[in-house]
Amino acid sequence: AVVSTQSTWEAVVSTQSTWEAVVSTQSTWEAVVSTQSTWEAVVSTQSTWGAEDMKILVHPVVGMTKPGDIDHHTRVKCYKEIMPKYPEGRAELSVFPLAMRMGGPREAIWHAIIRKNHGATHFIAGRDHAGPGSNSAGVDFYGPYDARDAVKGVEDELGIQILSYEMQVYSEEHDRFYSVNEVPEGVSPKKLSGTEVRKRLATGEDIPEWFSFGPVVNILRKANPPHSKKGFTIFFTGLSGSGKTTVANALQEKLMEIQDRAITMLDGDIVRQLLSSGLGFSRDDRQLNIKRIGYVSSLITKSGGAVIAAPIAPHEEARAWVRETVSQEGGFFLVHLQTPLETCEERDRKGLYKKAREGILKGMTGIDDPYEIPEVAELRIDTATSSIAQSVDTIVSYLAENGYVEGEAVAR
């Protein structure tokens, strides 16, 4: 019997094999259980093995999945680490190139058919199999066992036996896992959710050995360093004269004092001269200028650096693009300097507002070209009432609260 399992818990494991390897395992095994789930694969190595004649085909999909999931290269490394912990000759690993559709019950049935076609006689369907998560209101699209129950209900028609898989919890007293519905009386079970694991990776908190093997956790930590080791971008936006460059320069000095990342300043005027000298001030050109800043910021953030960008960035569409692009690589914090237009005009050292009022200068943001107030901003600061030092302290405190700089360093 070949048992197969698939579900994708984002934080633990996966590896690479060939089609020939799959065929050869089926020629020597009579019963194969297939699993796609990293979590199920780990638990099966740490808990009691099933029937003596059971073999397991760890068969994870590697391809496009939902945002926030651990990339498949990291999962492959984790799978390679745990495979030797299975009983010798009773487990094989084969990666399956497939994009997740997050279709819940229908996708679980599809996955079972695929595993049957790979020669599996059994398929482990776990909790929230192929679940897309929650909608905008925070309500789950499917119940935790809707997919499992759906595929279980058609197993006779499919011709593959579905092994129901309950949530696993750990008993410290017995040093083993139990299904949540089989915990002995008097036992206080322990568990870590995927959300909690991601939080611990982000903060650097301990992930206990009972949850996963130490080398696996180390691989995850390298791929998902804590916030204190990640790159980040502080993206200022606001009218000309709102204080972006002044606050950005002061922030750069403060960050150089309290942390060790290299800091790159992307001032709006300098970017216009060097990166976007061929662009004008039409809406399309302005948005392209901001996207260029965002792209450069994402590269620096991905490399673990800190970026301070200070363009006007008047358009929500371009700012949203920058947020999405940078957030995939590290921290992104949009700081809206909501200094009133009247104050900005009083500070008009370049005389731009005066020229715009006189009709000499066209397309001046805030006068004859609109500034779109950010729908989402991590911080909103009015430099008419907040001094430079106060503004910098507000930003640095926010970084500390989110783990990107050490709180002790800020306090010194």
Side-chain angles (χ1 to χ4, degrees):
V2 181
V3 182
S4 173
T5 170
Q6 163 187 309
S7 132
T8 19
W9 179 65
E10 322 75 298
V12 198
V13 273
S14 194
T15 198
Q16 177 104 28
S17 175
T18 61
W19 176 255
E20 289 76 17
V22 175
V23 173
S24 66
T25 62
Q26 294 176 42
S27 63
T28 56
W29 291 356
E30 295 179 357
V32 177
V33 180
S34 175
T35 172
Q36 173 177 303
S37 169
T38 50
W39 170 240
E40 290 149 17
V42 170
V43 169
S44 63
T45 66
Q46 296 190 10
S47 59
T48 303
W49 192 262
E52 286 302 318
D53 61 346
M54 181 180 292
K55 310 294 193 301
I56 185 167
L57 172 64
V58 182
H59 200 217
V61 299
V62 291
M64 185 181 298
T65 185
K66 65 183 179 182
D69 284 357
I70 300 296
D71 68 274
H72 72 265
H73 295 289
T74 299
R75 289 186 282 119
V76 164
K77 293 175 184 176
C78 293
Y79 272 122
K80 287 180 176 179
E81 187 63 47
I82 69 163
M83 290 307 294
K85 298 183 182 296
Y86 286 104
E88 185 176 357
R90 297 184 62 188
E92 285 289 341
L93 176 65
S94 175
V95 168
F96 185 54
L98 181 74
M100 293 290 292
R101 272 70 171 180
M102 300 301 166
R106 289 190 295 176
E107 188 160 354
I109 294 172
W110 180 43
H111 287 163
I113 293 171
I114 291 171
R115 274 31 185 248
K116 179 189 176 184
N117 291 340
H118 276 76
T121 57
H122 300 69
F123 181 59
I124 298 175
R127 185 180 187 276
D128 196 30
H129 186 103
S134 305
N135 61 20
S136 58
V139 179
D140 289 342
F141 281 94
Y142 303 109
Y145 294 108
D146 285 358
R148 183 200 67 182
D149 294 344
V151 69
K152 180 69 175 176
V154 295
E155 65 177 350
D156 291 339
E157 182 179 354
L158 295 178
I160 184 171
Q161 186 173 341
I162 306 303
L163 303 181
S164 299
Y165 191 82
E166 301 289 339
M167 178 188 296
Q168 299 291 300
V169 293
Y170 178 73
S171 167
E172 194 167 35
E173 297 95 315
H174 301 94
D175 189 26
R176 60 159 293 181
F177 284 89
Y178 290 98
S179 293
V180 69
N181 58 348
E182 297 177 352
V183 178
E185 186 177 352
V187 171
S188 300
K190 296 183 176 182
K191 64 178 181 178
L192 288 182
S193 67
T195 300
E196 175 64 18
V197 172
R198 285 189 292 274
K199 182 181 81 71
R200 293 190 181 207
L201 289 173
T203 61
E205 292 179 73
D206 179 59
I207 295 176
E209 185 76 17
W210 61 258
F211 179 76
S212 187
F213 300 107
V216 171
V217 173
N218 291 338
I219 292 170
L220 292 173
R221 290 202 184 281
K222 288 179 181 178
N224 301 271
H227 289 171
S228 61
K229 303 296 182 183
K230 278 186 176 181
F232 63 84
T233 292
I234 303 293
F235 192 91
F236 288 97
T237 177
L239 296 172
S240 177
S242 61
K244 299 184 299 299
T245 300
T246 303
V247 176
N249 286 331
L251 176 63
Q252 181 180 27
E253 291 298 319
K254 183 65 174 179
L255 290 178
M256 291 175 68
E257 175 188 332
I258 65 174
Q259 57 88 58
D260 297 326
R261 297 176 187 84
I263 301 172
T264 301
M265 177 73 75
L266 297 176
D267 181 74
D269 291 341
I270 296 175
V271 168
R272 273 284 179 179
Q273 295 172 19
L274 300 178
L275 287 179
S276 301
S277 59
L279 298 180
F281 289 89
S282 66
R283 182 180 180 90
D284 287 346
D285 280 1
R286 285 185 169 189
Q287 294 206 71
L288 180 56
N289 177 54
I290 297 307
K291 288 181 178 180
R292 288 179 179 178
I293 293 174
Y295 178 67
V296 172
S297 298
S298 73
L299 296 179
I300 297 169
T301 298
K302 182 178 182 179
S303 299
V307 179
I308 302 174
I312 293 174
H315 302 122
E316 182 64 21
E317 179 184 344
R319 292 192 301 255
W321 187 93
V322 173
R323 175 183 292 277
E324 180 180 359
T325 302
V326 177
S327 295
Q328 294 175 11
E329 311 298 350
F332 179 82
F333 308 97
L334 189 139
V335 180
H336 177 208
L337 295 190
Q338 54 185 6
T339 309
L341 176 60
E342 296 77 16
T343 303
C344 294
E345 289 196 63
E346 291 174 4
R347 298 172 174 172
D348 190 17
R349 294 184 296 110
K350 300 176 183 178
L352 299 179
Y353 286 107
K354 183 175 183 296
K355 291 179 181 179
R357 294 291 189 189
E358 293 173 349
I360 300 173
L361 179 63
K362 301 296 183 182
M364 180 68 182
T365 302
I367 303 298
D368 59 350
D369 197 70
Y371 176 84
E372 299 171 8
I373 304 298
E375 296 177 5
V376 178
E378 278 64 33
L379 293 169
R380 299 182 192 272
I381 300 173
D382 180 357
T383 60
T385 57
S386 176
S387 69
I388 296 173
Q390 289 171 334
S391 300
V392 169
D393 286 345
T394 298
I395 297 168
V396 171
S397 295
Y398 190 86
L399 290 174
E401 289 169 8
N402 287 273
Y404 283 86
V405 297
E406 301 289 345
E408 294 81 0
V410 175
R412 288 199 293 268

